[in-house]
Amino acid sequence: MGPKRRCQRASFRTTFVCFQIAFAAIFASFLTAQGCPIESTSSGNRAYVTLASGPEWVLAVRTLGQALRDLGSCLHQVVLLNYNADEGTKQLLASERWDVREVDRIPSPFDDHGSMTRNTFSMLWAYNMTEFERVLYIDSDFLPLKNIDDAFDCGEWCAAVSARETQNRFNAGLQVLTPNASLFAALLTGGSLGRYGSYNRGVQGYLNEAIPDWCTAGQASSWEEVLNMVDQGQTMAHQCRPLHVRYNYIAKDCELEPFFGLRTKEILYPEFVAALHYNHPIAHIIKPWLWVWYPVEPVNWVWWRARQDLPGESLRRCIWRCLGVYLPLLSSAVLVVFAPKLALQTWPRVVVRRSWNFPLVLVGATLFVLCVLPSELDALVACTCYFTLKGFLVGLLFFFVSGPRRSSEVSPGEPRASEPLQWVFSGYACEVLEAVFYCLPQICGFHFSSNRNVRPFCSDVIGGLPRWLYETMECGIAGYVAFALYFVFVVILQLLMVRLIDWFASRHLKWSVISVDVENSGKYQ
């Protein structure tokens, strides 16, 4: 082989090696830009820990982990499962960087039957994770808005006094703790032995008695006393410190700007807030992954945006759009266009003469659609499916309970192509009206459950019914009463719209689907 050929091969090998090095450098920088270095996801002496006490919490855990990663946190993420989760769930969580650990459920010594109290004590396992130097336990209903890794440096044990708590109690939903086997053992037996109580029969009240005692070696019996000792600079047995409320800001306290849309910048929370806590003070069932609560809690849209990046969500949204939006619309079009060929006049129809049956149609259709749509479906897709599917169903039910046109106006064998158009149009018109009033409070900046925006029902300076509600019940409960009355008002408007459409059809189109003669009562002939 000549020198020239050897020189060319050497040059080629050099170029190829340089290309490999450059490609590796670019790929490494891409990984660094996209997230955490691979080795940092499985090592380190600090960890985020959360608890999933049932399959209904898995979506919340996934969203929490996605938010932490998007904000640049590279710390270990551990999820405790205190129920028999299926292998698919565990593999899904593991694929999203969660360290899945199955633990036994720690029973509540105060109330082991309540849906919340019987599972909350399982978070105590975080105190026994001695393989970590420091642990930040965070409930899965939190949504970090900023990187909160700096909270690990607060002290040996830290928690925040959120706006939800009274008497300067801390909220146990977010705790920075130093794992301690002896403390864990004391917490396991402190309740059953009667050493500590719990004002709410859950781990929240229990820790508010046990932790101050541990922090001060018996000198303090409440977190308020611990805060006073910290302010006075007194020495304690352990370095227990309060966290700023920025780490535990109750989502319900957020305000809304008028013309609220789906952009998080229109949710007004203080700039310093680092994490939102979706822990409703009245109803624990109100969570952001349940789409039915979005009219009551518009701040849930902040959580919704964080959910969008979860793997598999795009495909699920596409499937439900096809089933809940496109299919009902296509079915409506087929019924209207091909009504004569479908021989609708031969279909059995029940004549309903009582006007109160139409409200039953609306309520029944609502309950049916709520049962059909998954509770954890993407909120925007779920709302679209709800209005479309319910519009089709309401129109269909209107057709079967309204009866035929007047016998004097019906010729034997006459095709009734216009009649399906009326009930289809009536159904969708009702849902367009409902959709408008669904968005109207948020457009106007009205928040049914906010501490600040429910002014008509939470003000002691006005009189009449609002004043009576304010004095009779809590502000939040009054807000839900207002929401119920608002829903009834919308149903009444829908019924009026159906009557208006029928009046227009009978006056200008010379037929009616609501008025029925006595001789036509019963089965459609």
Side-chain angles (χ1 to χ4, degrees):
M1 182 182 297
K4 185 176 181 180
R5 179 65 59 85
R6 286 195 298 269
C7 182
Q8 289 177 345
R9 287 196 172 186
S11 176
F12 174 77
R13 283 195 294 267
T14 303
T15 303
F16 183 71
V17 171
C18 291
F19 174 78
Q20 286 181 314
I21 295 174
F23 178 79
I26 294 173
F27 185 69
S29 63
F30 175 77
L31 289 179
T32 303
Q34 292 296 313
C36 303
I38 296 177
E39 62 272 9
S40 68
T41 63
S42 58
S43 62
N45 56 0
R46 295 180 173 186
Y48 287 98
V49 179
T50 191
L51 171 69
S53 55
E56 66 273 15
W57 296 94
V58 173
L59 178 59
V61 171
R62 296 178 61 205
T63 306
L64 172 63
Q66 185 69 41
L68 289 171
R69 293 189 296 272
D70 288 345
L71 293 169
S73 176
C74 297
L75 299 180
H76 206 97
Q77 296 178 1
V78 181
V79 55
L80 306 175
L81 304 180
N82 68 343
Y83 73 103
N84 295 324
D86 57 84
E87 289 299 322
T89 298
K90 290 184 283 189
Q91 292 176 5
L92 176 63
L93 292 171
S95 67
E96 297 177 5
R97 259 189 57 195
W98 283 103
D99 179 0
V100 181
R101 302 190 183 187
E102 297 181 89
V103 296
D104 295 329
R105 187 182 70 86
I106 299 178
S108 169
F110 309 104
D111 181 8
D112 202 39
H113 301 287
S115 58
M116 294 296 295
T117 56
R118 71 184 306 269
N119 287 310
T120 56
F121 276 81
S122 296
M123 64 79 48
L124 296 179
W125 285 109
Y127 284 83
N128 198 39
M129 301 175 68
T130 53
E131 66 270 29
F132 298 108
E133 172 193 352
R134 193 67 56 81
V135 161
L136 192 154
Y137 173 80
I138 181 171
D139 280 345
S140 56
D141 57 359
F142 270 80
L143 178 67
L145 303 177
K146 300 177 183 178
N147 191 311
I148 58 175
D149 290 352
D150 58 321
F152 282 89
D153 300 321
C154 67
E156 190 175 354
W157 194 96
C158 310
V161 178
S162 70
R164 185 181 183 274
E165 312 309 324
T166 59
Q167 302 179 18
N168 273 335
R169 299 187 181 108
F170 62 80
N171 184 273
L174 189 147
Q175 309 168 47
V176 179
L177 56 96
T178 302
N180 186 318
S182 59
L183 174 59
F184 173 70
L187 291 175
L188 286 182
T189 59
S192 57
L193 296 178
R195 185 177 182 184
Y196 307 115
S198 174
Y199 69 87
N200 65 348
R201 299 173 300 168
V203 75
Q204 162 79 21
Y206 179 68
L207 290 178
N208 266 277
E209 291 195 20
I211 292 301
D213 180 72
W214 173 78
C215 290
T216 61
Q219 298 181 43
S221 59
S222 68
W223 187 244
E224 186 173 14
E225 296 179 18
V226 173
L227 296 179
N228 292 333
M229 296 178 66
V230 172
D231 292 339
Q232 297 170 10
Q234 299 183 30
T235 303
M236 294 185 292
H238 301 278
Q239 189 185 10
C240 298
R241 297 290 183 269
L243 274 176
H244 195 278
V245 71
R246 68 188 294 265
Y247 296 103
N248 198 331
Y249 194 84
I250 300 301
K252 190 180 75 70
D253 292 337
C254 297
E255 294 184 356
L256 303 178
E257 281 186 348
F259 304 104
F260 167 68
L262 302 182
R263 298 190 296 273
T264 58
K265 68 178 183 180
E266 293 179 344
I267 299 287
L268 299 184
Y269 43 75
E271 187 65 27
F272 63 82
V273 174
L276 288 177
H277 191 184
Y278 288 89
N279 186 9
H280 202 278
I282 298 175
H284 295 290
I285 196 175
I286 299 180
K287 296 299 181 183
W289 50 91
L290 303 177
W291 64 269
V292 294
W293 297 114
Y294 276 63
V296 179
E297 289 289 333
V299 72
N300 290 349
W301 290 110
V302 181
W303 187 92
W304 172 84
R305 289 187 65 88
R307 174 187 178 176
Q308 300 306 297
D309 297 330
L310 288 178
E313 282 295 302
S314 298
L315 177 60
R316 192 184 188 200
R317 290 194 295 267
C318 180
I319 292 175
W320 274 103
R321 284 194 189 100
C322 293
L323 295 177
V325 179
Y326 305 138
L327 184 60
L329 291 176
L330 180 62
S331 301
S332 301
V334 169
L335 290 177
V336 170
V337 174
F338 297 99
K341 296 181 180 180
L342 293 175
L344 292 180
Q345 65 271 21
T346 64
W347 291 14
R349 294 166 65 181
V350 179
V351 175
V352 179
R353 300 178 58 84
R354 301 178 180 87
S355 59
W356 52 262
N357 281 274
F358 288 98
L360 291 182
V361 167
L362 293 173
V363 175
T366 300
L367 296 177
F368 176 81
V369 175
L370 290 178
C371 293
V372 168
L373 295 178
S375 60
E376 296 182 356
L377 187 60
D378 179 279
L380 187 59
V381 174
C383 291
T384 308
C385 293
Y386 169 82
F387 292 121
T388 308
L389 186 59
K390 183 183 171 185
F392 170 73
L393 186 61
V394 166
L396 193 63
L397 291 175
F398 278 168
F399 172 76
F400 283 107
V401 303
S402 62
R405 288 177 287 170
R406 297 179 184 274
S407 57
S408 59
E409 299 175 0
V410 178
S411 300
E414 180 185 350
R416 295 165 176 82
S418 300
E419 193 176 351
L421 177 61
Q422 178 181 343
W423 55 258
V424 167
F425 180 77
S426 299
Y428 284 116
C430 286
E431 291 317 296
V432 169
L433 180 66
E434 184 177 349
V436 170
F437 280 89
Y438 176 93
C439 301
L440 188 61
Q442 302 179 27
I443 293 174
C444 298
F446 186 83
H447 194 171
F448 280 103
S449 63
S450 171
N451 286 341
R452 300 185 177 95
N453 283 17
V454 190
R455 282 291 172 257
F457 293 92
C458 296
S459 175
D460 56 356
V461 297
I462 56 178
L465 178 62
R467 176 64 180 269
W468 177 83
L469 287 172
Y470 177 81
E471 294 177 346
T472 306
M473 58 188 69
E474 290 185 24
C475 169
I477 299 179
Y480 295 122
V481 171
F483 180 75
L485 294 176
Y486 185 77
F487 176 78
V488 173
F489 173 72
V490 173
V491 171
I492 294 175
L493 289 182
Q494 288 177 311
L495 295 175
L496 292 176
M497 174 173 286
V498 172
R499 293 291 181 176
L500 181 62
I501 294 174
D502 185 69
W503 173 84
F504 178 83
S506 61
R507 184 178 182 87
H508 298 281
L509 303 180
K510 304 303 181 183
W511 51 268
S512 170
V513 299
I514 293 182
S515 302
V516 184
D517 287 342
V518 176
E519 61 269 24
N520 285 332
S521 300
K523 187 176 179 180
Y524 184 77
Q525 300 175 353

